[in-house]
Amino acid sequence: MAYDATKMKDYEIAEAAEANMPLPYEWAEKLGLQKDEIIPMGRICKLDFMKIADRLKDRPDGKFIEVTAITPTPLGEGKTTTTMGLTEGLGKRGVNVGAAIRQPSGGPTMNIKGTAAGGGNALAIPMTEFSLGLTGDLNDIMNAHNLGMVALTARMQHERNYDDAELAKRNLRRLDIDPTRVEFGWIIDFCAQALRNIIIGIGGRMDGYMMQSRFGIAVSSEIMAILAVATDLKDLRERIGKIIVAYDKKGNPVTTEDLEVAGAMTAFMRNAINPTLMSTAEYQPVLVHAGPFANIAIGQSSIIADRIGLKMFDYHITESGFAADIGFEKFWNVKCRFSGHTPHVSVLTATIRALKMHGGGPKVVPGRPLPEEYTKENVGLVEKGCENLVHHINTIRKAGINPVVCINAFHTDTKDEIAAVRRAAEAAGARCALSEHWAKGGDGALELADAVIDACNDKVDFKFLYPLEMPLRQRVEVIAKEVYGADGVSWTPEAEAKAKMFEENPEYKDFATMMVKTHLSLSHDPTLKGVPKGWTLPIRDVLIYAGAKFLCPMAGTISLMPGTSSDPAFRRIDVDTETGKVLGLF
Amino acid sequence: MAYDATKMKDYEIAEAAEANMPLPYEWAEKLGLQKDEIIPMGRICKLDFMKIADRLKDRPDGKFIEVTAITPTPLGEGKTTTTMGLTEGLGKRGVNVGAAIRQPSGGPTMNIKGTAAGGGNALAIPMTEFSLGLTGDLNDIMNAHNLGMVALTARMQHERNYDDAELAKRNLRRLDIDPTRVEFGWIIDFCAQALRNIIIGIGGRMDGYMMQSRFGIAVSSEIMAILAVATDLKDLRERIGKIIVAYDKKGNPVTTEDLEVAGAMTAFMRNAINPTLMSTAEYQPVLVHAGPFANIAIGQSSIIADRIGLKMFDYHITESGFAADIGFEKFWNVKCRFSGHTPHVSVLTATIRALKMHGGGPKVVPGRPLPEEYTKENVGLVEKGCENLVHHINTIRKAGINPVVCINAFHTDTKDEIAAVRRAAEAAGARCALSEHWAKGGDGALELADAVIDACNDKVDFKFLYPLEMPLRQRVEVIAKEVYGADGVSWTPEAEAKAKMFEENPEYKDFATMMVKTHLSLSHDPTLKGVPKGWTLPIRDVLIYAGAKFLCPMAGTISLMPGTSSDPAFRRIDVDTETGKVLGLF
């Protein structure tokens, strides 16, 4: 029986559900795992990825379901809620199901009220652990990453202070790092705008090397990007060693391997490679692993979580970050290519609210009350807005997948509005289901679950949008036209020069094309809603993440360090000193 | 049966012992704990401090044994090894025994080869967890601490950008922080000299507040200092709220509570308040909790670990940092005063090596071979050096405790050298025991164990060196004369002015006097060995840690951020990608 989500806050539902949550070793029995494949961490646990992957290597993979969304309002349209709801719905149908989601960052948790755990009866629990550091992966990433910067800055100091003979005594060769071409920064898992631009190494000969530097938020780390795409520990170790931290004075890349720190960095990641096991509010298993940015990285849970999820579950659900033009596109052309996994179906989450916005509804601003267009029936806006939905349906069909549209129900939605979405989705050839998981949990998601089970029997002729042989600029052209609906692509001279250089280097041939673009519009301009027409995608730079194996064409600015607002969430967080319970998190 | 420590490296002994180490729930039965008092964290666990303290509150405390040392060489004289050895020795005598030690810092682990887990057969295991982050307490401290700086710098930005009316809309009052009087810095758990002196907040209106700032190593954090002295969660919460982060333009202190961030900082500490349970190589329980600096903090494990250790064990052993003039003095006058625990005996660890140094032996330099005076018999140097030992015996007797001298045996020690130490110790009225725990484990520590059991039957008339009523400057005078053997104390005008100000403020009356002085000499000059005569202790500043409730008279410089060397340990650390095992740590 579901909790009354109209009366209970998310943290109250979570707390009630947590009282009966399976404990670590109870999961072993429930999921058919060996006891030594469970690594308890308080009331949650990690799963020993290597042991499970090895034991189940000959078991056929389960059905692979991806959850994405239409272009959202700035409030988000409930992709995680839908992922949790679908998992609960399939659970109600007696199916062996599990999901994989991302770990949230401490920065937003301390800055913005809200959780990334879903909502209502479609929640991931326990919420306190989920919101406050989980099983320490972000801290491991922070230590691994910052150790790289310690190695870099200490090396620059010692190379300045010692001549070649002194370096040779320590078995060091001169790396001759160009202090104006240091690419790597430090990380911290908060919104710390004061650390965005800094000068380090002030002092004397023993105080490092004076230069400009920066802190990014931990989830923007290349180590996080790597954790999400690594297929195993060996791959993780190799990728960490290939991170370019700087260039030398001749322009050659200097890597963490050159600094002899890649092994120690990986040592800090030995636990983080194992996914954490959490639970839906109805006690279906949820793997939580990695939480990479959706712009410079894939913005979804890890390949490792999918690898074991597909072995453990008959239906494994994974969530893609942002809208389908970003999240699904990266899932499709990057994650599936790196992993070798092939999806059976995609679920395209839509809300009446977002469709009305695309249909011409007034601006939606976080923190301000919703204009009345969004709370009262307006079938015209919904119908018009469905062009955004249909665009994304067509994109997904280009991968050979026929998506299931999920209308994530709000209590303000009307019958006629919902009927309008069904008409549009079905006209575009997609299945469509209304889902009331927020209000009713799995019982509210049965229509969606049935549509997904049905869709998983479709024949999938999965194909990538472009072959790896296609050069970088051509790939961007294809993505811009086929996925975003642009007329073409324009390049700044700098971006074009970089792109050419990367195209000519055979080392980068199998690198992923990791687009950087806003998710708030199909175009690069977040104010353009619906399906913008007659525009060109401007690329102003191309970044390289050699460890993650990403080339990132930049169709927008990215901030790697958000700021803390004047009324941050931490003001309302405290601890009950009698019980140890954290208050005010949600 | 002990391992052959002359042939096996520490990590090999650890690995062999770890194969049969009790698992989390096996400890519950062994120690008579309830299952829900054990919080498994992989193959180790945390103990639920609040539950255990509450359930056992009426059980009488066990015998309380402190382990300290004579003034050491720069190599250290094996205090942790002796703590582990004594625990194993008492275990061999069938006694219900346990120990409490500090958690090491990631900075030295990645910079200097070596572990802080003891050595030979007197080791704490598992070593990889111990060396690489344990159960995450240091990361929790890092997040709690840095969130305070995020709050401070964001507030300074917003107060600059907004007028009073705008602040009032957010229910904020102007704190009017003086940017030249920011006392708090950031922390990171590495030796990152490049972050010692930095400029932050470069950029525009939204990029923080431009000012000088600094990073310290995590173990130097005031949060770490607080974790070590807090008696429970309520006390921890209150102390965290009293941390002075800056002064306002009128000179009034600004605290974390003023920033409305103390509750959220404490939320990050909700797990760190629970001690971690590890094991000796012979499977006696070892509590690991906190790892504060021994200069600006107490340099020993936490009061919380002692609180539950004294309830769980009939003999609870705790280790004090550095030499007895620092470690024991702080244990005695600060930790015991804050905790209300009274020790039964102190073990004063001595080595023939250190005694020879005090007797006039040549300089001992880490990384260079020991001069032959230290490896060949020289009874004369030992006899002369015993004056340092006797000085510390007399100091400990001032607390009303008759110490047990433990000669931590090296294979180069000779019979006559050992006999000389016994003579000197016994002449000073102390018990003395030779202990070969490094080579033989508990079987080698039976003489020590018996001496400690015997000493625990002595009547202890425990008394503090000074009453809380004594003003700060007089306290320093008493410590300098009675503990260090100085003729008196000199104050710089700045230090004296600060001391007066603190003496006049009744709020600071119950603050601990936390001396900052080298441990390499009884004096403030690390080159003066033995028992220096005819000198005055110079105090050049007094720091305040209002959360920890410390006033720190500075008789020396302290660096809160060590540097990474040109041949750091991380160069030799890697991960076996087949097994996940960390290589090269020890």
Side-chain angles (χ1 to χ4, degrees):
Chain A
M1 215 207 56
Y3 300 98
D4 186 346
T6 61
K7 293 196 181 128
M8 290 169 81
K9 297 213 161 96
D10 285 351
Y11 78 85
E12 291 169 319
I13 294 176
E15 200 175 311
E18 284 164 23
N20 298 309
M21 186 177 62
L23 291 173
Y25 289 120
E26 293 167 0
W27 278 115
E29 198 169 340
K30 210 173 143 90
L31 301 178
L33 294 173
Q34 312 286 317
K35 206 178 162 190
D36 71 347
E37 290 165 354
I38 297 268
I39 304 164
M41 306 290 282
R43 61 179 174 167
I44 52 177
C45 59
K46 279 184 168 287
L47 298 182
D48 192 315
F49 153 67
M50 287 164 82
K51 282 189 183 141
I52 295 171
D54 191 54
R55 182 172 60 82
L56 300 180
K57 63 178 180 297
D58 298 325
R59 183 185 287 189
D61 283 354
K63 304 285 187 185
F64 191 23
I65 302 152
E66 185 253 8
V67 176
T68 186
I70 64 167
T71 306
T73 71
L75 307 176
E77 305 316 309
K79 242 177 9 283
T80 306
T81 306
T82 299
T83 304
M84 295 297 95
L86 173 58
T87 308
E88 292 175 344
L90 285 165
K92 287 275 176 185
R93 284 294 186 231
V95 162
N96 168 22
V97 62
I101 59 173
R102 280 177 293 173
Q103 177 181 5
S105 160
T109 303
M110 287 295 141
N111 190 27
I112 304 159
K113 190 184 154 73
T115 169
N121 285 284
L123 266 182
I125 57 171
M127 277 181 98
T128 301
E129 282 84 341
F130 188 66
S131 303
L132 284 182
L134 210 63
T135 46
D137 297 359
L138 274 166
N139 292 323
D140 292 339
I141 288 167
M142 191 153 43
N143 287 325
H145 183 119
N146 287 336
L147 182 61
M149 276 305 281
V150 167
L152 174 71
T153 51
R155 183 66 169 258
M156 289 173 77
Q157 170 193 309
H158 296 304
E159 288 200 11
R160 179 195 58 207
N161 292 355
Y162 292 129
D163 60 20
D164 289 353
E166 279 293 327
L167 292 178
K169 274 188 205 167
R170 293 156 179 87
N171 199 20
L172 295 171
R173 69 186 170 90
R174 187 171 293 279
L175 295 176
D176 213 21
I177 292 156
D178 182 346
T180 68
R181 295 199 65 195
V182 171
E183 302 287 315
F184 213 51
W186 312 82
I187 60 164
I188 188 173
D189 198 36
F190 291 118
C191 299
Q193 63 266 48
L195 296 178
R196 214 175 261 151
N197 305 299
I198 61 177
I199 308 279
I200 63 170
I202 298 171
R205 286 168 60 78
M206 305 305 282
D207 297 303
Y209 194 100
M210 191 159 93
M211 61 182 179
Q212 196 172 341
S213 193
R214 64 172 192 274
F215 273 77
I217 193 163
V219 286
S220 76
S221 162
E222 187 170 352
I223 309 277
M224 175 63 97
I226 289 173
L227 180 64
V229 297
T231 51
D232 57 24
L233 183 55
K234 188 163 170 281
D235 188 32
L236 183 85
R237 171 65 185 82
E238 282 172 10
R239 286 174 186 263
I240 286 179
K242 287 181 177 156
I243 294 173
I244 296 174
V245 293
Y247 291 89
D248 69 17
K249 287 174 184 159
K250 289 184 183 146
N252 302 309
V254 176
T255 65
T256 51
E257 209 73 81
D258 293 327
L259 294 170
E260 296 174 279
V261 72
M265 289 167 73
T266 310
F268 276 103
M269 296 296 289
R270 73 198 185 286
N271 296 322
I273 198 167
N274 292 318
T276 298
L277 178 63
M278 287 181 47
S279 176
T280 72
E282 294 184 355
Y283 315 125
Q284 299 300 333
V286 180
L287 302 174
V288 185
H289 202 214
F293 261 29
N295 40 34
I296 53 160
I298 59 166
Q300 37 210 300
S301 179
S302 72
I303 285 177
I304 281 175
D306 287 346
R307 273 192 66 185
I308 59 171
L310 286 166
K311 294 297 181 189
M312 288 164 53
F313 312 128
D314 295 334
Y315 287 77
H316 174 69
I317 305 168
T318 200
E319 183 195 343
S320 292
F322 287 175
D325 57 325
I326 309 284
F328 177 78
E329 191 278 307
K330 292 182 179 186
F331 173 76
W332 172 22
N333 293 301
V334 180
K335 198 181 181 195
C336 290
R337 182 132 41 192
F338 277 166
S339 71
H341 300 140
T342 304
H344 292 78
V345 67
S346 278
V347 174
L348 185 60
T349 309
T351 61
I352 300 295
R353 178 175 70 193
L355 292 169
K356 285 177 171 173
M357 176 188 72
H358 291 299
K363 205 171 166 184
V364 175
V365 182
R368 292 208 204 135
L370 274 179
E372 162 183 293
E373 283 82 350
Y374 295 100
T375 52
K376 294 207 171 145
E377 181 170 278
N378 192 326
V379 178
L381 284 182
V382 174
E383 280 177 335
K384 181 142 192 336
C386 279
E387 63 168 359
N388 183 275
L389 172 69
V390 171
H391 181 94
H392 289 299
I393 291 173
N394 291 335
T395 297
I396 294 167
R397 291 169 71 97
K398 288 176 185 165
I401 300 164
N402 190 14
V404 174
V405 172
C406 166
I407 307 170
N408 180 20
F410 283 38
H411 70 279
T412 47
D413 302 347
T414 70
K415 236 167 105 174
D416 287 347
E417 289 173 339
I418 289 162
V421 184
R422 284 192 194 273
R423 274 196 308 275
E426 284 162 11
R431 290 176 179 83
C432 184
L434 178 72
S435 197
E436 300 177 289
H437 39 260
W438 184 85
K440 300 178 186 166
D443 284 332
L446 292 176
E447 188 190 341
L448 176 63
D450 292 341
V452 165
I453 291 171
D454 190 46
C456 282
N457 295 321
D458 285 359
K459 197 178 138 27
V460 171
D461 179 25
F462 184 75
K463 46 188 176 290
F464 295 118
L465 182 62
Y466 52 83
L468 274 188
E469 293 66 40
M470 189 181 282
L472 176 62
R473 281 171 297 171
Q474 205 179 325
R475 293 189 199 182
V476 177
E477 186 96 10
V478 170
I479 294 168
K481 288 180 174 169
E482 298 288 323
V483 178
Y484 305 160
D487 291 343
V489 180
S490 69
W491 297 77
T492 63
E494 299 77 20
E496 185 135 41
K498 272 195 179 179
K500 268 191 194 161
M501 187 188 77
F502 292 135
E503 286 169 6
E504 282 158 16
N505 192 331
E507 216 178 304
Y508 304 139
K509 223 197 88 183
D510 62 342
F511 275 35
T513 301
M514 188 61 70
M515 298 299 295
V516 177
K517 183 185 81 66
T518 179
H519 63 298
L520 294 172
S521 170
L522 280 165
S523 77
H524 59 284
D525 177 352
T527 65
L528 302 178
K529 304 301 179 187
V531 181
K533 297 283 177 204
W535 60 281
T536 300
L537 185 77
I539 303 293
R540 50 178 197 80
D541 198 0
V542 185
L543 302 186
I544 179 165
Y545 288 83
K549 298 194 182 176
F550 297 164
L551 295 174
C552 309
M554 309 273 291
T557 52
I558 45 169
S559 169
L560 300 185
M561 177 52 88
T564 287
S565 74
S566 55
D567 187 18
F570 64 66
R571 293 179 80 188
R572 288 165 286 277
I573 295 170
D574 211 326
V575 172
D576 179 331
T577 57
E578 293 302 312
T579 62
K581 228 170 78 171
V582 177
L583 310 170
L585 256 183
F586 316 112
Chain B
M1 216 208 56
Y3 299 98
D4 187 345
T6 61
K7 292 196 182 131
M8 289 169 83
K9 298 212 161 97
D10 284 351
Y11 78 84
E12 291 170 319
I13 293 176
E15 200 174 312
E18 284 164 23
N20 298 309
M21 187 177 61
L23 291 173
Y25 290 120
E26 293 168 359
W27 279 114
E29 197 169 342
K30 209 173 143 94
L31 301 177
L33 295 173
Q34 311 287 315
K35 206 178 161 190
D36 70 347
E37 291 165 353
I38 298 268
I39 304 164
M41 307 290 282
R43 61 178 174 170
I44 52 177
C45 59
K46 279 185 169 287
L47 298 182
D48 192 314
F49 153 68
M50 287 165 83
K51 282 188 183 142
I52 295 171
D54 191 54
R55 182 173 59 83
L56 300 180
K57 63 178 180 296
D58 298 325
R59 183 184 287 189
D61 282 353
K63 303 287 187 184
F64 192 22
I65 302 152
E66 184 253 9
V67 176
T68 186
I70 64 167
T71 306
T73 70
L75 307 176
E77 305 315 309
K79 245 178 6 287
T80 306
T81 306
T82 298
T83 303
M84 294 297 97
L86 173 58
T87 307
E88 291 175 343
L90 285 165
K92 287 277 176 184
R93 284 295 186 230
V95 163
N96 168 21
V97 62
I101 60 174
R102 281 178 292 174
Q103 177 181 2
S105 160
T109 303
M110 286 295 141
N111 190 27
I112 303 158
K113 190 183 154 70
T115 169
N121 284 283
L123 267 183
I125 56 171
M127 278 180 100
T128 301
E129 282 85 340
F130 189 66
S131 303
L132 283 183
L134 209 64
T135 47
D137 296 359
L138 274 166
N139 292 323
D140 291 340
I141 289 167
M142 192 151 44
N143 287 324
H145 183 120
N146 288 336
L147 181 61
M149 275 305 281
V150 166
L152 175 71
T153 50
R155 183 66 169 258
M156 289 173 76
Q157 169 193 311
H158 296 302
E159 288 199 12
R160 180 196 57 207
N161 293 354
Y162 291 130
D163 61 19
D164 288 353
E166 280 292 327
L167 292 177
K169 274 189 206 166
R170 294 156 178 89
N171 200 21
L172 295 171
R173 68 184 171 91
R174 187 170 294 280
L175 295 175
D176 213 20
I177 292 157
D178 181 346
T180 68
R181 294 198 68 194
V182 171
E183 303 285 315
F184 213 50
W186 313 82
I187 60 165
I188 188 174
D189 199 36
F190 291 119
C191 299
Q193 64 264 48
L195 296 179
R196 213 175 261 151
N197 305 299
I198 61 176
I199 308 280
I200 63 171
I202 299 171
R205 285 169 61 77
M206 305 304 283
D207 297 303
Y209 194 100
M210 191 160 93
M211 61 182 178
Q212 195 171 342
S213 193
R214 64 170 191 276
F215 273 76
I217 192 162
V219 286
S220 76
S221 162
E222 185 169 354
I223 310 277
M224 175 62 98
I226 289 173
L227 180 64
V229 297
T231 51
D232 57 24
L233 183 56
K234 188 162 169 283
D235 187 33
L236 183 85
R237 171 66 184 82
E238 283 172 10
R239 286 175 186 262
I240 286 178
K242 287 181 177 156
I243 294 173
I244 297 174
V245 293
Y247 292 90
D248 69 17
K249 286 174 183 156
K250 290 184 181 145
N252 301 310
V254 177
T255 65
T256 50
E257 210 71 81
D258 293 326
L259 294 169
E260 297 174 280
V261 71
M265 289 168 72
T266 309
F268 277 103
M269 296 295 290
R270 73 200 185 285
N271 296 322
I273 198 168
N274 292 318
T276 298
L277 179 62
M278 287 181 45
S279 175
T280 72
E282 294 183 356
Y283 314 124
Q284 299 300 333
V286 180
L287 302 174
V288 185
H289 203 215
F293 261 30
N295 39 34
I296 53 159
I298 59 165
Q300 38 210 296
S301 178
S302 72
I303 285 176
I304 281 174
D306 287 347
R307 271 191 68 186
I308 59 170
L310 286 166
K311 295 296 182 189
M312 288 164 52
F313 312 128
D314 295 334
Y315 287 77
H316 173 68
I317 305 169
T318 201
E319 181 195 344
S320 293
F322 286 175
D325 57 325
I326 309 283
F328 177 77
E329 192 278 308
K330 292 182 178 187
F331 172 76
W332 174 21
N333 293 300
V334 179
K335 199 181 181 197
C336 289
R337 182 133 39 194
F338 276 166
S339 72
H341 300 141
T342 305
H344 291 79
V345 67
S346 279
V347 173
L348 185 60
T349 309
T351 60
I352 299 295
R353 177 175 72 192
L355 291 169
K356 284 176 171 173
M357 176 189 71
H358 291 299
K363 206 170 163 184
V364 175
V365 182
R368 293 209 203 134
L370 274 179
E372 135 181 320
E373 283 82 349
Y374 294 101
T375 51
K376 294 208 171 144
E377 180 170 279
N378 192 326
V379 178
L381 284 181
V382 173
E383 279 177 335
K384 184 143 187 338
C386 278
E387 63 168 359
N388 183 276
L389 171 70
V390 171
H391 181 94
H392 289 300
I393 291 173
N394 291 335
T395 297
I396 294 167
R397 290 169 72 99
K398 286 174 186 166
I401 300 164
N402 191 14
V404 173
V405 173
C406 166
I407 307 170
N408 180 20
F410 283 39
H411 70 280
T412 46
D413 301 347
T414 71
K415 234 167 107 176
D416 286 348
E417 289 174 338
I418 289 161
V421 184
R422 284 193 194 273
R423 273 196 309 276
E426 285 162 10
R431 289 177 180 80
C432 184
L434 178 71
S435 197
E436 300 177 290
H437 39 260
W438 185 85
K440 300 178 187 167
D443 284 332
L446 292 176
E447 188 191 341
L448 175 63
D450 292 341
V452 165
I453 291 171
D454 189 46
C456 282
N457 295 321
D458 287 359
K459 199 180 138 21
V460 170
D461 179 23
F462 184 75
K463 45 189 178 290
F464 295 118
L465 182 63
Y466 53 83
L468 274 189
E469 293 67 38
M470 189 181 281
L472 176 62
R473 280 170 299 171
Q474 205 178 327
R475 292 188 200 182
V476 177
E477 185 98 12
V478 170
I479 294 168
K481 288 181 175 169
E482 297 288 323
V483 179
Y484 305 160
D487 291 343
V489 180
S490 69
W491 298 76
T492 63
E494 299 77 21
E496 184 135 44
K498 273 196 178 177
K500 267 190 195 163
M501 188 189 77
F502 292 135
E503 285 169 6
E504 282 157 16
N505 192 330
E507 216 179 303
Y508 303 138
K509 224 198 87 180
D510 63 342
F511 273 37
T513 301
M514 189 61 70
M515 299 299 295
V516 176
K517 184 184 80 66
T518 180
H519 63 298
L520 294 172
S521 169
L522 281 164
S523 76
H524 59 284
D525 177 352
T527 65
L528 301 179
K529 303 303 179 185
V531 182
K533 296 287 179 202
W535 59 281
T536 300
L537 185 77
I539 303 292
R540 52 179 196 81
D541 199 0
V542 185
L543 302 187
I544 179 165
Y545 287 82
K549 298 194 182 177
F550 297 164
L551 295 174
C552 309
M554 309 273 292
T557 53
I558 44 170
S559 168
L560 300 185
M561 178 51 88
T564 288
S565 74
S566 54
D567 186 18
F570 64 66
R571 293 179 81 187
R572 288 164 286 277
I573 294 171
D574 211 326
V575 171
D576 179 330
T577 56
E578 293 302 312
T579 62
K581 228 170 80 173
V582 177
L583 310 172
L585 255 183
F586 316 112

